[in-house]
Amino acid sequence: MTSVDASTGAELVDCPVCGITVQINRVNQHLDSQCDSLTPTTSTPQHSSQHSSQRSSHHSSQPVAPIFGKPAKRKVSLGSSNSGGEGVYELSEDERALEIKTVPIHHSATSLKHESKKPKTEQSLPNQSTSRIPVSPPQTLRDAKRAAQPLAERVRPKNLDEFVGQENVVGKDGILKRFLETDSCPSIILWGPPGVGKTTLARLIAASTKSRFVELSATSASVADCKKVFEEAKNELRLTRRKTYLFLDEVHRFNKAQQDIFLPYIERGDIMLIGATTENPSFKLNSALLSRCRTFTLQKLSQIELYTILHRLSVSLGEDYNLDLSSSPSGIVTVEALEYLSGLADGDGRVAINLFDLIVSSSLPNLSTITSSTPPPAPIPLSRIKNDLQRSHLLYDSKGDGHYDTISAFHKAVRGSNPDAALFYLARMLESGEPPMYLARRMMRIASEDVGLADDSCLPFAVATATAVEKVGMPECDVMLAHCAVKLATAKKSVRVYRAYNILKDRFKNDPVYSAASVPIHLRNAPTRLMKEIGYGKEYKYNPDYIEGRVKQSYLPPEIEGAKFLDGLDLGTEHDSELDTDYFSSLH
């Protein structure tokens, strides 16, 4: 409601938030100050005092949602002098935001005004003499979020000096390091297996750049989310001349039609894209997108690099637990245990840290209970880790690059006559859940491609193995597959047929003469009278009618008469200077 100041003639209005009466031309200033502008604006002291008490009563009963600007810092009092819990704590920015979200807010100016005039009840008094559980000092929202994060997330490197691995891109002469130092990183794709530092590198770029940085994940973000970022990026560039980096994790989750939305914005320079993917970009990303981005290949972390990461964590925790590092330089976990963990993670830093966290949290008391008088615990030995960590699965991706890499290694081990390596890769695939019939089909192929004419018994043996696998199934068929793999690996090899057929495939693909060559007329079938009159099959010499079946007769089209595809060599003629004759002689 509005009124008029009798002394000044100024029009007055009630504040919709706190209910105090202010001059109408000062209401915005009053709201901007979070209702802290309490200078009386009326000529009647009693009226001003009344509204001041109303405002005080309102603020003591519940917080008010801010209208403009950041909320003013408030202090809260928890407990009472009787309970021993008295203490004043300043709310953090995150806690104020959380408090505002959880407190019911009235939406009408009338309800706010009437609410502010309600007197306090006895139950709302903070020092009411009732039984109360002592309240501990509140944990800030930021600390609570951090405590809920996995250890791998909490210990991410904050700068390149803390980053371990990927020396080819962030080492002393690494190109990505130079991009970070000069704040000139272009659009890039980070490709590598899980846990090698793709997200960490993106966040290091965010920490080092003066540009705006936005992080999304293709697992949850939509095209609309990306378009919103694009529009904000254009406005940011127009108003502040700042570029925008968009980090899109798991970029391969966007299909190729969705990936097209990035093209014009990258082309114009509205955004710099940093994509992270565990899948091969050549298969999962558009060629147009790849042409606009520089692809960096990240490698699995070595066991030494994983050990370095875990050793830092172990030493840091050792200090927290008051451990004497002079007697235990490896920290809270023994050297042997750290080596075991770093080997178990198979190049995945996140797996290594999570395993470390699992062992420490299950073996040591909580850090919050540690005091200066608490005796330090003994370092965790290797025996404890072996007992606690029972591997439930092998690190094998049955649908991604791991699948193709492993089957390729198996095929090449058989081709190279190394039965031990062939058995290793066969067991790795079988024990990880690879369908046994897939492996049986692959070995039928190997029997013709690599063994071929050198041992004709291998192809029917591989076919019989496939039949046995189909009838018996897993787990009993594992030995049958191993039997076939060893037979193929130790058999003599011949690629005459495979090599000849590859020559023909290449000729038909690249030489039009082969595709257009006509079948000689004497080799054509003549099932009708007309065809016989034309000359189909005329002058054909039936080989069984001749001694040893030998006749002089052409079988190839005249355009390629005399061509040879099948040579007389089972294998090649090149010599390997690094050949270990003792090793190969031991196999046969």
Side-chain angles (χ1 to χ4, degrees), residues 10 30 79 114 276 292 302 318 339 347 414 430 493 521 570:
H30 176 70
H114 288 296
R292 290 163 171 81
S302 67
E339 291 176 347
V414 173
L430 276 179
K493 307 296 190 295
I521 193 169
D570 288 326

Side-chain angles (χ1 to χ4, degrees), residues 155-392:
V155 299
R156 283 189 188 274
K158 302 300 186 295
N159 52 63
L160 280 180
D161 294 334
E162 298 177 4
F163 191 86
V164 177
Q166 314 307 333
E167 290 293 320
N168 58 322
V169 293
V170 295
K172 182 179 179 181
D173 298 321
I175 184 171
L176 193 53
K177 182 179 182 180
R178 298 199 297 272
F179 285 150
L180 289 175
E181 291 173 345
T182 58
D183 192 10
S184 59
C185 187
S187 293
I188 62 175
I189 300 294
L190 299 174
W191 171 38
V196 298
K198 299 184 296 296
T199 302
T200 298
L201 282 176
R203 292 181 180 175
L204 289 179
I205 294 174
S208 63
T209 184
K210 296 182 178 62
S211 302
R212 180 168 170 265
F213 189 91
V214 180
E215 181 174 344
L216 295 177
S217 174
T219 59
S220 57
S222 64
V223 171
D225 296 325
C226 295
K227 288 183 177 179
K228 181 180 178 182
V229 174
F230 300 156
E231 292 302 315
E232 293 172 350
K234 289 197 297 185
N235 294 334
E236 184 77 19
L237 186 62
R238 183 173 65 252
L239 296 175
T240 67
R241 300 296 186 265
R242 283 200 314 164
K243 298 183 297 183
T244 296
Y245 284 100
L246 171 59
F247 172 53
L248 186 61
D249 200 9
E250 305 295 338
V251 62
H252 62 273
R253 294 294 190 95
F254 275 8
N255 60 43
K256 294 191 174 183
Q258 291 172 315
Q259 293 170 24
D260 286 339
I261 67 170
F262 296 97
L263 301 181
Y265 299 97
I266 296 176
E267 188 76 26
R268 292 195 301 262
D270 293 338
I271 64 164
M272 297 296 179
L273 176 66
I274 302 176
T277 177
T278 57
E279 302 292 337
N280 192 328
S282 300
F283 302 134
K284 296 293 184 178
L285 301 185
N286 278 348
S287 57
L289 182 59
L290 288 176
S291 70
R292 290 163 171 81
C293 302
R294 174 73 182 271
T295 301
F296 291 99
T297 304
L298 307 185
Q299 307 296 331
K300 292 169 63 174
L301 299 177
S302 67
Q303 186 170 354
I304 295 176
E305 291 168 342
L306 290 174
Y307 178 88
T308 302
I309 295 171
L310 297 182
H311 183 267
R312 289 180 183 176
L313 287 176
S314 183
V315 170
S316 176
L317 279 178
E319 295 174 347
D320 294 337
Y321 281 98
N322 303 320
L323 194 67
D324 183 8
L325 296 180
S326 60
S327 60
S328 180
S330 63
I332 206 67
V333 180
T334 62
V335 173
E336 297 80 8
L338 290 177
E339 291 176 347
Y340 179 78
L341 285 175
S342 58
L344 199 65
D346 191 35
D348 189 324
R350 186 181 294 105
V351 169
I353 295 173
N354 288 342
L355 291 175
F356 178 90
D357 187 25
L358 176 66
I359 291 299
V360 171
S361 60
S362 63
S363 304
L364 301 177
N366 195 297
L367 272 175
S368 61
T369 64
I370 299 298
T371 64
S372 57
S373 59
T374 304
I380 302 173
L382 175 60
S383 58
R384 169 73 64 82
I385 292 181
K386 285 187 174 181
N387 290 333
D388 291 348
L389 292 182
Q390 299 294 329
R391 295 300 298 277
S392 60

Side-chain angles (χ1 to χ4, degrees), residues 12 23 97 124 297 525:
L12 304 177
Q23 294 179 4
S124 66
T297 304
N525 189 27

